[in-house]
Amino acid sequence: MAGKATAQQKKRQQVWAWTLTAGVLVVAVVIGVNSGDSDTGVPAPVADERSGTVPILRAAADSQGICYGWELLDVYDEVSVGSNLGDGTSVIDAPGCTRWIAVSANVRYTSSSSESEDSATIRIKGSDDIEFTDLAAIETRLGRFGLDEEAFVDDPGWAVTRAATILPLLAAERGLAEPAATPTAGPPAAAAPLPDAGNDFWRDRWIYVLSSVGLFLLAALFLAVGVRQRRRHRVRVPAQRAGAGAAGRTRSRR
């Protein structure tokens, strides 16, 4: 009897150990899901992108007489702003900039559990003396340089500063100013390339993949425990039957 009780205690301990392991795995998956849902902030341009953009805009403004700038928004929150006047200085209604053009990008990231998709809205703003048709044409022509909605969603910081540096060229194409003079300063730091298209797939779906793997491992764990218990049960039953038969024959001889 003591041996049987000890075996039952060991069995219970093993079941509790497996259950605890499965619980820890489930908690880890839930924590991963919750942490992925909170990662919806729009990243600002890195320091090199901002510092490399300002001199280009300053040279174009001095040559063409038009101020240029950018602004990046996270729905209602301002993420980054800059212009030929400097990083952090808006060109809109700035003193000394009676004529200006700026690119405005509003990016919205959704959580991985949401059915909505990430989106970006790009607008070209300008002073009152610049016609709406000219601003709309500049906005449309950004697509020639790969600066469409997808580019702003993938890397908003790079896209908005890159678009700002192209504004002087597009303004000259519309006849708003003469072509900007070639800057005499050294070339700016090379802009970072757009991330691989596959990155967006994993950013949106890695939580689901992790959850599926976790559930698969949990199911395999319970299956292994069930098979092991069933095998032990089959081994004990024949042994008990053999012992009972031997005892019966002994009593019959008496």
Side-chain angles (χ1 to χ4, degrees), residues 6-18:
T6 303
Q8 291 179 349
Q9 292 177 355
K10 291 182 178 180
K11 177 182 175 181
R12 291 176 181 175
Q13 292 175 355
Q14 291 177 351
V15 171
W16 276 109
W18 285 108

Side-chain angles (χ1 to χ4, degrees), residues 67-98:
C67 294
Y68 297 101
W70 79 85
E71 65 175 2
L72 177 61
L73 305 175
D74 183 350
V75 188
Y76 301 108
D77 299 329
E78 182 181 282
V79 177
S80 175
V81 65
S83 65
N84 57 284
L85 302 176
D87 180 19
T89 302
S90 175
V91 73
I92 301 175
D93 298 329
C97 288
T98 57

